[in-house]
Amino acid sequence: MKKLILALILLAMPAMAQQPRVLRIAMTAADVPTTTGMPNNGFEGMRFLGYPIFEGLVLWDLSRSDQPATLRPGLAESFAQDPNDPKIWIFRLRPGVTFHDGTPFNADAVIWNFDRYFLNTSPQFEPAASGISRARVTILESYRKIDDMTIAMTTVRPASYFPYMVVYLLMTSPQSFEQAGRDWARVALLPPAGTGPFRLSRVVPRQSAELTRHDGYWDRTRIARLDRILLLPMPEANTRMAALRSGQVDWIEVPPPDGIPSLRQAGFTISTGSYPHVWPWFFQMEGDTPFRDVRVRQALNYCVDRTGMVGLLNGTAEPSVGWLKPGDPAFGTPDNRYSFDPARGRALLAAAGFNAQRPLTFRVLISPSGSGQMLPLPMNEFLQQNLREACGVQVNFEVAEWNTLLTAVRSPPGAPILNGAVSINPSSPSSDHSVAVRYFMRAAFPPTGFNWGQWVDPAFETAMGQLESARDPAAATAAFALAHARLVDNPPWLYIVHDLNPRAMSRRVRGFTPAQSWFQDLVPVEVQ
C-alpha cells in the first residue's frame, strides 16, 4: 500500500509542478483601467495596467523599501542634458529591445508614441492618452530623432527634474495600432504590445484583465516568477476583504481599516509603509469662491482633526500639515504649523466674514473609490461632521465616479462637470519636484497641468526658478524648502493625511518588497 501511495504521489508531481502560478489582485478601481498603453484610473492604473506591460525611456527603481523610489534607465540606457544647451535632453535608446509582437523598439517607435500624445494631427493621436500625458509632462517643447537609437527632447526651460516627467510616457507598439485598423478601441482588446516583463493576454471589459509572463523580456535578470496575474476591479473595501477571506483573490489593495486586526489574526499578511502621498481637498481660487481669501484656507487647515481621522483609519495614515511630511529636509520653516485648533480656525473665519449667522458653506466633488483614495466616503463624512462641529462650516458633497473626478481635475473653474463644486478631493503623489511643478505652478493650469485651483504665489514661483537652476542637491533642497513654506502659509489645499499604502495578502504570496512609491514591482512576486 505504501508503495502504491508513493507511486501515485510521484505520478502527480509533474502535474502539480505544471500548475500555473497565478496571482489574483483586487483593485480599488470601479472598472478595468484602459489597456491601450496609457491607462486611466490614476496611478493605480499605471501600477497594474501600465508599468508591468508598457515601459518608458526612464523607469522607477522599486527594488528598495528603505528609501523613496528613485529613477533608473529603462528603454533608454542613458540620458543627460546637452552640455551646450541644458534645455535639451539626449536619450540613447537600449539596443536589442523588441515589443511583445516582435517588432523593434527604436527611435521611430518613440517618435510615433510621442506624436500619439502630443501631435493632434497625427493618425495615431489618442485624445484620452494625450490629456493624461500632457498634464504629467508640462514643460516639453519639442522632440526629434537624431539617429535610429537616439532622440532629443527640448524643454521650455532648463529643469533637472525632467526625467521624473519622462517616466510617465509609456511605449506601445505602432504595429498594434496598424493591426487594429488604426482604431484605439480595437487596440484595447487585441491586446496591444508593450516591452514590459508581462504582456496583456486577455481583457474582459468591466470585469478583468489578465497579464502573462513575457519570457522574451529584454532584461534577462528580471524575468517574472509568476505565470499570470489576474486583475479584478472591486471598488468596495468590504467586498475586497470578503474576496480575500474566501480565497477568490490573493491580494487586495486598501483593506478596510477596521478589518485589519482580524485579517492579521487569520494569518493574512498586512503590508504598510510610508510613501510620498497626500490626501487633500483642492481649493478653487478663480471665480465666485470663498477660497480667494487665504484666511479661509488657513482656517480650514486649523479646523481639521487629523488625529481623529488617523484613528478612523486604524493607524494606516499619518497627519498631513503640508504637501511634504514635517520630517522632510525640504519641508521648510513656514509660519503656520497646523494642528487641531478650532479657536484659531474660527477666529480666521470671523476675520474673513464668516460666523454662526453667516457660516462658510461650499460643495466638494468626491469619489466613492479610486487610486490612492483609501476610504473616501467615510473619510469625507468624518470631515463634514468635524468641520461643522469644530468651526461651524457647512460642507456639501457631489459624488462622482473616480474617472469622472479625474476629468474634472483637468477642467476649468465653473465647468458643468463640477456641478457647483469649488473644492475637489483627488489624492496626490509628492514624490519629486516635477510633481510640484504640475500641481502648483502658474503654467500648470488645466489642461496643461493639475493646478486645478489656479493658485498663484510669486514667492513660490521665484523659489521654483531657483530650484530649476540649482547645480547641486543642497541648493535644490534649500530652494524647495522656500517653495514648500509657501505651500503651507498660502495653502492651495486642505492638508488632511498621508496614507501608509496598506494592502493585504494571502500567506501564499511571497517575494513582495513594498517600495516607497505609488508603484510596485511585481516581477519578484511568487504564489506558493
Side-chain angles (χ1 to χ4, degrees):
M1 178 62 73
K2 289 183 178 179
K3 291 183 178 179
L4 177 61
I5 292 173
L6 179 61
L8 291 172
I9 292 173
L10 291 173
L11 285 171
M13 283 180 67
M16 291 169 63
Q18 294 171 11
Q19 288 295 315
R21 293 162 294 182
V22 181
L23 175 66
R24 301 160 300 170
I25 299 177
M27 303 180 292
T28 68
D31 198 356
V32 176
T34 48
T35 55
T36 58
M38 182 51 66
N40 62 6
N41 272 279
F43 277 1
E44 187 175 54
M46 291 288 281
R47 182 186 302 146
F48 293 125
L49 270 301
Y51 293 122
I53 312 155
F54 310 95
E55 298 177 305
L57 304 182
V58 184
L59 295 175
W60 291 101
D61 182 352
L62 304 172
S63 62
R64 300 177 59 172
S65 60
D66 60 342
Q67 65 180 32
T70 55
L71 299 181
R72 62 182 177 91
L75 296 178
E77 60 182 0
S78 67
F79 48 92
Q81 287 172 293
D82 186 326
N84 298 316
D85 185 349
K87 292 193 298 182
I88 298 175
W89 285 79
I90 306 298
F91 291 81
R92 303 195 184 281
L93 307 184
R94 189 177 298 278
V97 177
T98 59
F99 288 100
H100 297 150
D101 58 13
T103 57
F105 169 77
N106 52 31
D108 289 332
V110 175
I111 299 301
W112 185 92
N113 275 277
F114 285 179
D115 285 350
R116 165 194 176 189
Y117 299 136
F118 300 110
L119 184 61
N120 297 34
T121 58
S122 68
Q124 67 269 29
F125 181 70
E126 186 183 7
S130 174
I132 294 170
S133 299
R134 292 184 189 210
R136 291 174 178 164
V137 186
T138 59
I139 63 172
L140 178 63
E141 183 176 88
S142 63
Y143 47 88
R144 62 186 174 90
K145 171 183 174 180
I146 296 178
D147 58 42
D148 285 348
M149 300 305 292
T150 313
I151 68 157
M153 302 174 72
T154 302
T155 58
V156 297
R157 58 185 182 273
S160 59
Y161 52 74
F162 184 59
Y164 281 92
M165 291 185 171
V166 177
V167 75
Y168 298 113
L169 296 175
L170 305 185
M171 301 292 123
T172 300
S173 166
Q175 181 60 29
S176 298
F177 187 64
E178 297 298 328
Q179 188 177 349
R182 298 191 167 194
D183 181 347
W184 282 112
R186 291 180 59 193
V187 172
L189 299 175
L190 275 176
T195 62
F198 292 91
R199 59 184 176 85
L200 191 61
S201 52
R202 187 165 183 259
V203 179
V204 180
R206 294 174 295 280
Q207 292 185 30
S208 65
E210 181 184 77
L211 314 185
T212 302
R213 182 181 64 244
H214 178 45
D215 289 327
Y217 185 50
W218 57 266
D219 187 345
R220 304 306 297 169
T221 68
R222 284 182 44 78
I223 302 300
R225 298 182 182 182
L226 294 164
D227 294 309
R228 292 188 291 127
I229 298 173
L230 184 64
L231 299 168
L232 302 162
M234 291 189 191
E236 208 281 311
N238 285 315
T239 301
R240 292 194 296 274
M241 183 169 68
L244 181 65
R245 284 185 172 279
S246 65
Q248 296 177 48
V249 299
D250 311 293
W251 166 322
I252 64 173
E253 296 288 284
V254 195
D258 58 359
I260 288 176
S262 65
L263 287 172
R264 277 202 178 100
Q265 190 173 18
F268 292 98
T269 301
I270 305 298
S271 171
T272 61
S274 178
Y275 77 122
H277 168 269
V278 59
W279 194 89
W281 286 356
F282 293 10
F283 295 132
Q284 178 57 252
M285 278 152 278
E286 182 63 29
D288 184 17
T289 162
F291 303 125
R292 296 170 67 91
D293 192 324
V294 67
R295 294 170 297 186
V296 173
R297 291 178 269 132
Q298 291 174 342
L300 291 178
N301 272 288
Y302 282 110
C303 290
V304 171
D305 181 5
R306 297 171 179 87
T307 300
M309 177 69 81
V310 169
L312 173 72
L313 297 171
N314 204 10
T316 58
E318 51 193 339
S320 170
V321 292
W323 192 64
L324 299 174
K325 299 177 183 180
D328 193 292
F331 188 86
T333 54
D335 294 330
N336 288 271
R337 296 286 178 160
Y338 297 122
S339 60
F340 185 37
D341 189 343
R344 188 166 183 179
R346 285 179 179 272
L348 284 164
L349 287 174
F354 297 102
N355 50 38
Q357 291 71 42
R358 184 177 177 257
L360 173 64
T361 303
F362 60 95
R363 181 180 295 271
V364 185
L365 183 64
I366 67 173
S367 65
S369 65
S371 171
Q373 293 296 88
M374 295 182 280
L375 302 175
L377 292 181
M379 291 170 72
N380 278 299
E381 288 168 355
F382 174 92
L383 285 169
Q384 185 181 48
Q385 180 177 348
N386 163 203
L387 292 174
R388 181 178 65 250
E389 294 177 353
C391 292
V393 176
Q394 303 296 321
V395 177
N396 300 307
F397 294 129
E398 180 71 21
V399 183
E401 192 272 332
W402 176 231
N403 273 316
T404 301
L405 185 142
L406 292 180
T407 301
V409 173
R410 297 192 291 271
S411 302
I417 195 172
L418 298 170
N419 199 25
V422 292
S423 181
I424 196 166
N425 172 226
S427 53
S428 160
S430 54
S431 54
D432 57 86
H433 302 144
S434 76
V435 181
V437 170
R438 299 202 308 268
Y439 278 91
F440 304 118
M441 294 288 281
R442 181 198 298 265
F445 290 1
T448 59
F450 290 103
N451 189 351
W452 175 81
Q454 302 200 7
W455 178 79
V456 177
D457 185 291
F460 177 86
E461 301 273 333
T462 298
M464 291 301 290
Q466 294 170 357
L467 166 68
E468 291 176 340
S469 60
R471 292 294 177 229
D472 63 80
T477 298
F480 196 51
L482 294 174
H484 187 266
R486 296 305 304 152
L487 293 177
V488 177
D489 287 333
N490 184 19
W493 296 355
L494 176 60
Y495 303 112
I496 304 166
V497 291
H498 307 283
D499 89 283
L500 296 181
N501 212 6
R503 46 181 56 90
M505 304 173 188
S506 161
R507 69 182 72 186
R508 296 172 56 241
V509 178
R510 305 292 177 85
F512 173 65
T513 299
Q516 289 191 37
S517 171
W518 283 68
F519 314 110
Q520 301 297 328
D521 187 3
L522 300 176
V523 165
V525 175
E526 296 182 272
V527 175
Q528 298 181 348

